[in-house]
Amino acid sequence: MTEQLENLRNFNHYKLNTNVKVTLAEYIWIDGTGLGLRSKTKVFHHEIKQLSDLEWWTYDGSSTEQANTKWSEIYLKPVVYVRDPFRGAPHLLVLCETYLPDKKTPARYNFRWLAQEIMEKAKEHNPWFGIEQEYYLLKRTGTTHTWPLGWPNGGFPHPQGRYYCSIGERNNFGRALAEAHQRACLNAGLKLAGINAEAAPSQYEFQIGIAQGIEAGDHLWLARYILERIGEEFGIDINYDPKPIKGNWSGSGAHFNYSDSKTRGEGGYQYILKTLIPELEKYHEQSLFLYGSNNVDRLTGAHETSEYGKFTWGDGSRGGSVRIPIITKELGQGYFEDRRPAANIDPYLVGSVLVDITLLGGTNLEKLKQELFKSSQPLS
């Protein structure tokens, strides 16, 4: 019975009576690890019609690696909300920024405020993003998750080649979870563009986009939250490590497809080649610092990656740092794909890097690096 309840698919097991007029708002935030998400529920006895109807809230930051016990209160500032696909209408998922008690100083790993500033400076150029989020599905072994779904315990499956966009029980592991995630994201109103099985067995991908400015990061974090919640229902852990399985197995990235009004305009392809590619190469080393932890394990030059310390690009090339899609070349305008970001990136940082390099002359890169470095330091 415990196992049945632990993995219960229907979280509306005890339904709210129709005469109970409340809105359940699930406040969601990024914790002090920079990748983990936390959430808790606030009951409102009125309808939420706009963002200002959602008040600031607090939580214990000493339990999320964002504060010490003597000064532990952290504020939650609601910044965007969507429909709650688990509880249904009128309930909400509420993404929040985190702040220290002065309500002004960002808590550890809150980078959205800085991304918002950068996006605001570049808004006249209308930057668009599409993010390809890869992940592995790890099955439960006792209280730990030690091996990918569908793999022999402690062993290895058939080599890669048969799993990408695969069908069939012998090739595809985890479709039910990925499909449930897709439907839940669409029910929430997120800009989810699609899903597919990836190159390694038990590896999947979902795509966010086309999203504008700060919206890309918001929707990716909310999609990650929903994916983790779906994983709870299936008893499956979601893994974003850039190289979770060593050896001849693909790592996981979060490729960024990017364009602005100039790349999408006439002559955009030549603009990418002659102006943006040199700028991306110029800031290659600085960008990598902001492109996820342990990314050096993934960027080996194998498994459709570039080498970590070398910037390369190519038309239609999935072995380069940057790929220019063949459709962009054919049309003479469009977008390019930055293939360097790891699966465990903060999308606010990567989106800011691309906008800063292509539209703002790299003037904010040092500040982005400083903010990430500050968050990575031990709590005082």
Side-chain angles (χ1 to χ4, degrees):
M1 183 61 179
T2 301
E3 185 69 16
Q4 290 176 334
L5 289 175
E6 189 175 354
N7 297 323
L8 192 64
R9 292 294 307 280
N10 183 9
F11 283 93
N12 291 308
H13 186 67
Y14 293 103
K15 295 181 184 293
L16 281 170
N17 293 329
T18 55
N19 62 341
V20 178
K21 304 299 182 183
V22 298
T23 298
L24 303 179
E26 194 70 17
Y27 277 48
I28 302 163
W29 69 96
I30 303 162
D31 69 15
T33 68
L35 183 62
L37 288 164
R38 309 288 180 117
S39 75
K40 63 177 185 173
T41 309
K42 190 172 185 62
V43 179
F44 287 90
H45 293 273
H46 59 265
E47 184 180 358
I48 303 299
K49 297 181 179 180
Q50 55 194 2
L51 190 62
S52 59
D53 293 335
L54 293 161
E55 61 193 37
W56 288 49
W57 204 12
T58 61
Y59 65 94
D60 173 18
S62 68
S63 296
T64 64
E65 302 183 44
Q66 290 169 297
N68 58 52
T69 54
K70 292 182 179 180
W71 193 246
S72 64
E73 291 289 286
I74 301 289
Y75 270 104
L76 290 168
K77 175 188 176 182
V79 290
V80 64
Y81 65 88
V82 297
R83 297 185 293 271
D84 186 335
F86 303 105
R87 292 168 172 148
H91 313 299
L92 305 171
L93 300 181
V94 182
L95 186 64
C96 301
E97 292 182 6
T98 54
Y99 288 90
L100 300 187
D102 62 5
K103 287 189 170 184
K104 296 179 181 178
T105 306
R108 293 180 81 196
Y109 290 99
N110 171 14
F111 303 124
R112 187 184 185 277
W113 65 274
L114 181 52
Q116 182 72 72
E117 286 184 2
I118 292 171
M119 296 300 173
E120 183 65 22
K121 292 177 183 177
K123 66 179 181 180
E124 64 182 283
H125 302 284
N126 200 11
W128 291 2
F129 299 95
I131 309 174
E132 303 171 26
Q133 174 71 73
E134 296 175 337
Y135 59 93
Y136 271 81
L137 304 172
L138 301 187
K139 64 185 178 182
R140 178 177 298 160
T141 303
T143 58
T144 61
H145 299 79
T146 59
W147 214 237
L149 179 69
W151 291 35
N153 285 332
F156 297 92
H158 190 281
Q160 288 186 190
R162 60 199 284 179
Y163 307 110
Y164 174 70
C165 295
S166 61
I167 61 168
E169 194 273 338
R170 67 196 178 280
N171 300 323
N172 191 287
F173 312 108
R175 187 189 300 278
L177 186 151
E179 183 71 25
H181 174 245
Q182 176 173 239
R183 297 181 187 192
C185 286
L186 294 174
N187 285 342
L190 297 182
K191 289 187 174 180
L192 188 135
I195 61 172
N196 61 268
E198 263 304 329
S202 192
Q203 185 187 38
Y204 253 86
E205 171 185 299
F206 67 86
Q207 301 96 33
I208 292 295
I210 298 172
Q212 299 181 16
I214 199 72
E215 180 184 53
D218 291 344
H219 282 225
L220 183 66
W221 275 116
L222 286 166
R224 283 176 172 175
Y225 174 82
I226 292 172
L227 184 58
E228 294 279 1
R229 285 283 302 273
I230 296 288
E232 289 178 18
E233 300 181 27
F234 282 82
I236 295 295
D237 185 53
I238 310 302
N239 183 282
Y240 298 108
D241 191 291
K243 190 72 173 180
I245 308 297
K246 308 305 179 187
N248 196 25
W249 304 98
S250 290
S252 295
H255 305 151
F256 261 66
N257 297 286
Y258 172 77
S259 69
D260 60 40
S261 54
K262 200 164 185 177
T263 71
R264 297 190 297 269
E266 186 176 350
Y269 173 73
Q270 289 299 321
Y271 173 68
I272 293 172
L273 258 58
K274 296 179 179 179
T275 302
L276 299 190
I277 291 294
E279 288 299 298
L280 292 166
E281 182 173 15
K282 174 182 174 182
Y283 293 106
H284 176 65
E285 185 176 350
Q286 294 183 59
S287 300
L288 288 177
F289 179 76
L290 298 156
Y291 275 21
S293 59
N294 303 318
N295 203 17
V296 66
D297 294 336
R298 168 181 160 263
L299 294 179
T300 62
H303 303 108
E304 299 184 347
T305 69
S306 58
E307 294 182 32
Y308 186 84
K310 183 180 179 182
F311 181 88
T312 59
W313 72 274
D315 293 318
S317 172
R318 285 177 167 78
S321 309
V322 170
R323 174 180 70 92
I324 302 180
I326 56 172
I327 189 67
T328 299
K329 184 176 183 179
E330 289 175 1
L331 296 177
Q333 59 194 54
Y335 69 97
F336 66 83
E337 177 193 37
D338 190 339
R339 298 182 57 80
R340 296 169 293 174
N344 60 6
I345 51 99
D346 185 316
Y348 297 132
L349 291 178
V350 176
S352 295
V353 168
L354 286 171
V355 166
D356 191 49
I357 290 174
T358 60
L359 299 174
L360 303 175
T363 54
N364 296 279
L365 270 179
E366 194 57 38
K367 186 174 184 179
L368 287 164
K369 290 174 63 179
Q370 288 174 359
E371 290 298 327
L372 178 57
F373 180 76
K374 280 166 51 179
S375 285
S376 67
Q377 299 308 296
L379 288 169
S380 58

